[in-house]
Amino acid sequence: MQLIECPWCGPREEVEFHYGGQAHVPYPDNPAELTDEEWAHYVFFRDNTKGRFAERWNHTVGCRRWFNAVRDTTTYRFERVSRLDDPKPVTS
Amino acid sequence: MTSTFRTAEGGLIDRTTTLEFTFDGQTHTGHPGDTLASALLAAGRHQIATSIKLGRPRGVAAAWAEDPGGLVQIEEPFPEPMLPATTVELYGGLVAHGLPGQGRLADVPDSARYDAVHHHVDVLVVGAGPAGLAAALTAARAGARVALVDEQAEAGGSLLSGTDRLDGAPAPTWVAAAVAELAGHPEVLHLQRTTAFGSYDDGFVLALERRTDHLGAAAPKHTSRQRVWRIRARSIVVATGSHERPVVFTDNDRPGIMLAGAARTFLHRYGVLPGREAVVFTTNDSAYDAALDLHRAGVRVQAVVDARPEGSPQRREECERAGIRVLSGAVVVGTQGVDRVTHAVVAPFADGEVGSSSAIGCDLLLVSGGWNPAVHLFSQARGRLRYDEGLGAFLPGEELDGLSVTGSAAGVFDLAGCLADGQRVARAALSAQAIAPTGEDRLPSAPEPVVPTAPLVLWRVPDTSGAEGATQFVDLQRDATVADIARAVGAGLRSIEHIKRYTTIGTAHDQGKTSGVLTSGITAELLGVPVRDTGTTTFRPPYTPVAFAALAGRDRGRLFDPERVTALHEWHVTAGAVFEDVGQWKRPRYYPRPGEDMEAAVLRECAAARTGVGILDGSTLGKIDVQGPDAAVLMDRLYTNLMSSLKVGSVRYGVMCGVDGMVIDDGTVLRLAEDRFLVLTTTGGAAKILDWMEEWIQTEWPDLRVHCTSVTEQWVTFPVVGPRSRDVIGAVFPDVDVSNEAFPFMTWRDTDLEGVPVRLARISFSGELAFEVYVNPWYAVAVWQRLLEAGRPFGITPYGTETMHVLRAEKGYPIIGQDTDGTVTPHDLGMAWAVSKKKPDFIGKRSFARVANQDPLRKQLVGLLPVDRQTVLPEGSQIVEFLHDGQLPPPPVPMLGHVTSSYRSAELGRPFALALVKGGRERVGDTVHVPVNGTLVPVEVTGSVLVDPEGARRDG
């Protein structure tokens, strides 16, 4: 069982966390102005990266906070975790 | 029976105590320290069972968990199938029999306890042989927090099976001193009978401790039978030793044929002679120790058959001095015997060719084809293996962070080397953690290692019997042979993983500990490729079988999942409620009176709520307290309707959608103050909706000054429902003006009952006049009793979730998750009125503008009334329609939708249902059909509100 570093609580077992999908997909500023296709991209479309991937995680049974992480999807290794107010990392 | 094969002295058994046990109906004796296998061998019994497919006699072929031959079923003290006799420690009263294949689970519940312990260490050492003990001592002496686990009953590993001397004394003396020293270190946890069966990410290892199995019926009831240790280690030292590998030859499966090293174990550890006349067949030097040790113990060693052309010059000399004949450049090509080997058929062997054979009489045939390092834990941790051409074995092929392999598991086969390697690896682990090793870290002096003659890598002896490998057994437990591998290769299989699954080799309880590498070697031979290209199959946990009961631990029965009960639970139990599980909650489903079934009880409860007064324990409803200056902004963004306009003191029904515009929850919202709302969610949605709110607040709107917390368990909720509810509430709370004018529908009031704060709300989930009573759970029983007393003149009737469902369904109120499935919009539910047109945006709004959302053929919530006024449509039933000619369309018959809720209605005097139907609202008045038990039941489509569609009853 992997250890995941919560930016608030430190390393905890992976069963304490929930995966939250791709990070840095902001809610559109003005959804009404988007075409159906653009809106569908926000609602349904996510990257399916092999390798380093910026993700959202939630420390569900701990502090219940969301945070961002860069993880390698082939090795499962977490490269870094960051608080939501930290700047977006460069992943590629 | 007497133990005719027991040595006169020696071994690590306690000869002063005799244990009686029963095997296959016969009574035998043994001693503490024996295994079932060693005690049976002491009685001269080799055969344990017959094989699973071919029914061939099979016996003890190894001395521990790698044994593919001797599977037994335990009957007493508790039925347990599929245990190798070699790992069953003997105890008095044991009753067992040999297993020809499948075992039998107990037909009585297992009363033993199983538990789990979390443990954190600097260094975990797996295996208490020479390398593991040296590593553990080094780490312990440096002051590190250490765990040492070993699967056997006592520490020592290979030192228990031989004649090695350390510091000039028998090795077990040093083992005892090492164990005693470890016991003196307060930070050391030393566990025997504990198998590390899985290694996972980040230094996580699972180990199973067998705590009372060896005690039999004397096992104390207060001690858990087995314990799963969940160990997190900064460094793991794998010192798991190695498994001896047989050589495959024709008829190599008869009882009396065993690994050479196993014979040494039975002799030195258990004081047992595994035979009287032995032939030793080997490809390497290690089996000579077995030949010489058995010879000294009085066994007549007929011959050492060494497949190497020159044999081992130095070992040959030792044998000759002892009068043991050595046949170099020879192999065993076959055996004779039925229940027990009687002859080894031996032939010269050169350049892969077998010469003419002759039979040598024996009752014991020892085999050694080399040693396979036990790399399981390393490989499970995704360590890459490399094939060593010289050893014919797979070794750890890389360095892993936090996990190192030492001793014979790493290919170090001499005692002095193992001790030094264990120390070296432990020091490296300490240094990686910046723990300074101590200067006082002495290793015992071990004999100078003798450089052995190079082994011969020989997987199998050519089959001269004409059977083409059909009785050359690779996996004895699966009855899988060289012929089976040849068939797999002939069928075009190349991958070792495919060959494993085609032949089933390595899939039995022993997981291929003796057969795995052989299969790689033989497959490579047949394919004409190097063994390194064939590789091994994937090593997966568990290393040895683990009972599901142990993995479940305490998490079974009522402890499997938390049971949540309301403050009134005892009252419900006393009242005879029948409970149902709603999420983790236990909720009363109905309260049957004597002689009533559910249907009768629910009809009575419904009638009471519609004509008199009923009361429900609704405490499980999710409640979220939303506070902060921006609370109203959050509400407006999450709900489809406008919540910011809600006045303090009022209540509004609201719907929440996902960004895809599909309904995820609904419920009422009480505005408690300008900056405070109480959000009521469905029972099942409580945690999910709080998470949903948190996700948006944290990830998208951190600027909002708002906080949410669950108050589900801070308030009990009792809906008092029915035309007489006003009388009841008025009587219990005389200070409150309960008139419709003073206390209108969808408002709330705070009051108190003799100093206890109470909140009342005019909310109705039944369409009837209703008041919800909220109070601190501490006062739940008292308030509930007051309400019952006040309601007695009106026949107040407690009702359960089933009646609640009927009442709400009669009004067309959907249950999110029952009448919806994640593809249903508020519009589909007929709730366009709950979707704000004023708000510029809210979660889900943009999706409503999609073309598909305007499709008139979307499935919509409607009511269904079976025309026969009898049939209760099964929930989930499909809905079809006839063509104009009165016939069904040709198959596949188009499905119009399905029944989502279906009940018998006291109010309507007939069954009814809710359903999602394509273009349903346009079909009101139509007749469609529902297949029920092979018959098409005609049903009339109606609006979703079947009782009081005008809403005349809500004000009483």
Side-chain angles (χ1 to χ4, degrees):
Chain A
M1 182 170 348
Q2 250 185 299
L3 293 176
I4 296 175
E5 180 93 15
C6 169
W8 305 95
C9 306
R12 295 289 187 276
E13 296 198 338
E14 65 182 81
V15 290
E16 294 190 14
F17 297 83
H18 261 87
Y19 182 59
Q22 183 176 359
H24 313 294
V25 182
Y27 189 78
D29 285 338
N30 200 340
E33 289 175 0
L34 300 183
T35 65
D36 278 1
E37 188 178 333
E38 287 165 337
W39 177 247
H41 270 270
Y42 166 70
V43 176
F44 300 113
F45 284 51
R46 295 294 182 270
D47 293 343
N48 186 20
T49 302
K50 181 178 180 182
R52 299 172 74 232
F53 192 44
E55 303 170 331
R56 306 190 315 158
W57 285 81
N58 184 236
H59 193 188
T60 325
V61 300
C63 62
R64 304 185 60 231
R65 299 233 206 178
W66 286 86
F67 59 92
N68 291 331
V70 175
R71 190 179 62 106
D72 188 315
T73 59
T74 57
T75 64
Y76 310 141
R77 288 286 135 204
F78 281 75
E79 187 178 299
R80 55 171 287 186
V81 294
S82 51
R83 290 162 37 165
L84 293 176
D85 49 4
D86 291 336
K88 176 182 175 178
V90 178
T91 53
S92 55
Chain B
M1 288 177 77
T2 52
S3 300
T4 51
F5 287 81
R6 189 73 76 176
T7 57
E9 55 177 17
L12 304 170
I13 51 171
D14 172 13
R15 293 177 190 251
T16 61
T17 305
T18 298
L19 304 172
E20 213 165 75
F21 68 99
T22 307
F23 186 76
D24 278 354
Q26 277 190 312
T27 303
H28 299 276
T29 59
H31 301 292
D34 262 326
T35 62
L36 177 56
S38 69
L40 288 172
L41 291 180
R45 175 157 186 160
H46 272 250
Q47 186 186 337
I48 299 293
T50 50
S51 70
I52 184 165
K53 280 196 290 197
L54 305 173
R56 290 170 69 102
R58 292 284 163 77
V60 175
W64 184 247
E66 65 274 23
D67 181 24
L71 272 194
V72 299
Q73 163 93 32
I74 307 288
E75 294 294 354
E76 297 287 342
F78 185 79
E80 183 88 24
M82 305 284 286
L83 294 176
T86 50
T87 63
V88 176
E89 288 183 55
L90 195 68
Y91 45 83
L94 172 69
V95 178
H97 60 79
L99 265 191
Q102 290 175 335
R104 180 179 55 79
L105 289 171
D107 49 13
V108 291
D110 185 352
S111 62
R113 286 187 195 178
Y114 300 84
D115 62 12
V117 174
H118 291 260
H119 195 67
H120 295 255
V121 293
D122 299 321
V123 181
L124 166 67
V125 180
V126 181
L133 282 173
L137 284 171
T138 294
R141 287 165 179 169
R145 196 170 153 87
V146 177
L148 170 64
V149 303
D150 183 90
E151 58 182 340
Q152 304 226 14
E154 53 190 310
S158 60
L159 297 176
L160 304 177
S161 300
T163 53
D164 293 306
R165 294 177 75 81
L166 291 171
D167 283 341
T173 309
W174 175 77
V175 171
V179 168
E181 184 185 335
L182 289 171
H185 288 283
E187 290 297 319
V188 173
L189 171 77
H190 176 195
L191 299 168
Q192 290 296 142
R193 299 189 175 95
T194 303
T195 307
F197 64 82
S199 93
Y200 305 86
D201 294 301
D202 295 324
F204 189 61
V205 169
L206 290 179
L208 180 76
E209 182 187 9
R210 298 173 299 281
R211 307 182 73 209
T212 67
D213 286 344
H214 60 291
L215 299 174
K221 288 272 176 278
H222 62 272
T223 306
S224 61
R225 181 181 175 207
Q226 295 179 352
R227 170 175 286 171
V228 173
W229 286 84
R230 305 164 61 89
I231 304 171
R232 182 76 70 172
R234 290 201 171 89
S235 300
I236 301 167
V237 174
V238 175
T240 44
S242 50
H243 296 133
E244 197 166 19
R245 176 176 72 227
V247 180
V248 176
F249 47 85
T250 304
D251 295 326
N252 59 332
D253 63 329
R254 301 192 198 284
I257 302 176
M258 71 167 61
L259 292 166
R264 287 189 92 204
T265 301
F266 286 119
L267 174 64
H268 295 302
R269 184 160 171 190
Y270 302 109
V272 171
L273 298 176
R276 302 270 186 231
E277 296 189 332
V279 170
V280 179
F281 174 31
T282 187
T283 62
N284 63 87
D285 279 13
S286 71
Y288 285 81
D289 292 326
L292 290 159
D293 288 357
L294 288 177
H295 167 77
R296 284 180 208 116
V299 175
R300 191 177 313 127
V301 179
Q302 304 281 41
V304 173
V305 181
D306 193 324
R308 293 172 289 187
E310 306 298 329
S312 168
Q314 66 215 38
R315 304 310 300 261
R316 164 190 284 271
E317 205 180 298
E318 282 178 70
C319 285
E320 280 168 356
R321 277 204 301 275
I324 300 171
R325 176 166 57 134
V326 176
L327 304 172
S328 297
V331 291
V332 172
V333 294
T335 64
Q336 294 165 13
V338 180
D339 297 342
R340 178 79 179 261
V341 64
T342 59
H343 293 82
V345 182
V346 175
F349 178 69
D351 302 325
E353 296 293 322
V354 175
S356 60
S357 63
S358 58
I360 303 176
C362 63
D363 62 356
L364 179 67
L365 172 54
L366 301 184
V367 184
S368 179
W371 295 81
N372 295 327
V375 292
H376 301 66
L377 296 178
F378 170 81
S379 187
Q380 286 171 14
R382 293 196 270 269
R384 226 180 26 249
L385 300 175
R386 76 175 168 85
Y387 180 68
D388 185 300
E389 299 275 354
L391 294 172
F394 290 89
L395 294 171
E398 64 177 326
E399 296 285 324
L400 292 184
D401 278 347
L403 185 147
S404 41
V405 187
T406 183
S408 69
V412 179
F413 290 106
D414 72 281
L415 178 52
C418 283
L419 291 164
D421 195 51
Q423 185 183 62
R424 177 189 66 80
V425 163
R427 284 182 176 171
L430 294 171
S431 134
Q433 298 180 40
I435 302 174
T438 166
E440 287 296 311
D441 187 20
R442 188 189 156 272
L443 289 175
S445 61
E448 269 304 299
V450 179
V451 179
T453 306
L456 174 73
V457 176
L458 177 65
W459 310 114
R460 63 156 182 153
V461 174
D463 190 354
T464 55
S465 71
E468 297 184 350
T471 61
Q472 293 196 322
F473 290 89
V474 179
D475 187 334
L476 273 64
Q477 192 51 230
R478 284 287 187 233
D479 268 341
T481 63
V482 170
D484 292 322
I485 299 177
R487 195 172 302 120
V489 169
L493 304 183
R494 293 293 179 271
S495 155
I496 196 70
E497 298 284 3
H498 293 161
I499 285 164
K500 167 181 175 171
R501 282 150 186 84
Y502 189 88
T503 59
T504 74
I505 289 173
T507 61
H509 76 283
D510 61 328
Q511 289 286 292
K513 288 183 179 59
T514 54
S515 59
V517 177
L518 280 178
T519 306
S520 296
I522 294 169
T523 299
E525 247 175 42
L526 291 171
L527 288 172
V529 300
V531 180
R532 66 167 181 277
D533 291 356
T534 308
T536 66
T537 55
T538 306
F539 290 87
R540 292 193 181 87
Y543 170 70
T544 48
V546 178
F548 282 115
L551 294 175
R554 299 284 175 112
D555 303 332
R556 55 195 290 191
R558 288 196 62 194
L559 298 180
F560 176 67
D561 199 35
E563 275 180 12
R564 301 176 77 184
V565 295
T566 73
L568 278 187
H569 190 72
E570 291 307 314
W571 188 93
H572 297 316
V573 171
T574 308
V578 174
F579 289 89
E580 73 167 333
D581 291 338
V582 181
Q584 292 174 329
W585 290 100
K586 296 284 175 198
R587 294 196 71 179
R589 191 172 187 192
Y590 57 99
Y591 299 84
R593 287 184 179 164
E596 277 186 343
D597 60 6
M598 182 170 96
E599 190 177 308
V602 169
L603 287 173
R604 171 179 53 77
E605 291 173 10
C606 285
R610 289 262 183 247
T611 60
V613 60
I615 185 167
L616 173 76
D617 180 3
S619 306
T620 64
L621 272 188
K623 303 169 202 79
I624 301 169
D625 192 344
V626 181
Q627 297 188 41
D630 293 321
V633 180
L634 177 72
M635 293 288 98
D636 274 353
R637 290 183 186 175
L638 292 180
Y639 280 97
T640 59
N641 38 355
L642 197 61
M643 286 293 177
S644 53
S645 62
L646 184 62
K647 290 186 173 52
V648 175
S650 285
V651 181
R652 189 166 288 168
Y653 172 79
V655 175
M656 276 193 216
C657 291
V659 286
D660 58 359
M662 302 303 160
V663 177
I664 58 169
D665 207 57
D666 73 340
T668 48
V669 175
L670 283 64
R671 188 156 202 175
L672 304 181
E674 277 306 311
D675 61 353
R676 190 170 183 189
F677 294 81
L678 182 67
V679 169
L680 301 181
T681 73
T682 55
T683 297
K688 188 182 72 180
I689 294 305
L690 180 60
D691 286 347
W692 178 246
M693 292 176 159
E694 281 291 338
E695 180 179 346
W696 286 98
I697 294 170
Q698 289 184 36
T699 66
E700 286 292 341
W701 309 318
D703 54 312
L704 289 188
R705 295 160 300 163
V706 60
H707 294 276
C708 308
T709 192
S710 167
V711 290
T712 301
E713 303 204 359
Q714 277 63 39
W715 295 97
V716 293
T717 310
F718 306 145
V720 180
V721 175
R724 307 311 297 265
S725 58
R726 182 171 282 134
D727 302 292
V728 177
I729 297 298
V732 175
F733 304 102
D735 296 346
V736 180
D737 182 349
V738 292
S739 70
N740 198 46
E741 296 69 35
F743 194 168
F745 185 58
M746 292 303 250
T747 61
W748 61 269
R749 301 284 180 268
D750 276 348
T751 181
D752 73 275
L753 188 61
E754 294 163 23
V756 175
V758 173
R759 178 169 295 151
L760 301 175
R762 286 246 352 242
I763 297 171
S764 180
F765 196 39
S766 59
E768 300 298 327
L769 173 68
F771 294 81
E772 290 185 350
V773 180
Y774 292 75
V775 69
N776 182 306
W778 188 257
Y779 304 101
V781 176
V783 171
W784 177 266
Q785 297 282 14
R786 294 283 183 98
L787 292 165
L788 289 183
E789 276 163 38
R792 189 164 300 138
F794 312 104
I796 193 166
T797 301
Y799 67 87
T801 51
E802 194 65 21
T803 292
M804 176 190 82
H805 278 290
V806 177
L807 297 175
R808 64 89 199 170
E810 288 172 340
K811 286 290 292 177
Y813 298 150
I815 296 279
I816 305 307
Q818 174 169 337
D819 299 294
T820 71
D821 62 3
T823 66
V824 178
T825 67
H827 311 83
D828 299 336
L829 294 174
M831 290 186 182
W833 54 268
V835 178
S836 167
K837 296 195 171 55
K838 290 185 201 155
K839 289 194 285 184
D841 194 27
F842 55 84
I843 300 302
K845 180 180 169 81
R846 176 62 185 81
S847 288
F848 295 151
R850 292 168 63 243
V851 177
N853 282 56
Q854 321 302 325
D855 184 351
L857 285 182
R858 286 185 67 82
K859 287 182 184 172
Q860 295 162 341
L861 188 72
V862 293
L864 298 180
L865 289 172
V867 174
D868 66 3
R869 306 181 68 91
Q870 296 290 331
T871 308
V872 181
L873 304 172
E875 289 172 357
S877 297
Q878 294 293 327
I879 298 162
V880 298
E881 69 178 334
F882 287 173
L883 298 176
H884 293 300
D885 59 2
Q887 302 293 314
L888 275 183
V893 179
M895 299 296 161
L896 297 185
H898 68 280
V899 176
T900 58
S901 295
S902 177
Y903 310 98
R904 208 176 276 284
S905 168
E907 179 77 10
L908 301 171
R910 62 191 294 186
F912 73 105
L914 295 177
L916 287 169
V917 178
K918 270 185 194 166
R921 284 197 287 274
E922 284 297 309
R923 290 177 181 271
V924 170
D926 290 1
T927 298
V928 293
H929 287 79
V930 175
V932 179
N933 294 330
T935 320
L936 286 172
V937 177
V939 299
E940 184 194 340
V941 181
T942 71
S944 59
V945 186
L946 288 159
V947 169
D948 185 27
E950 305 80 24
R953 296 179 175 189
R954 67 169 208 215
D955 292 329

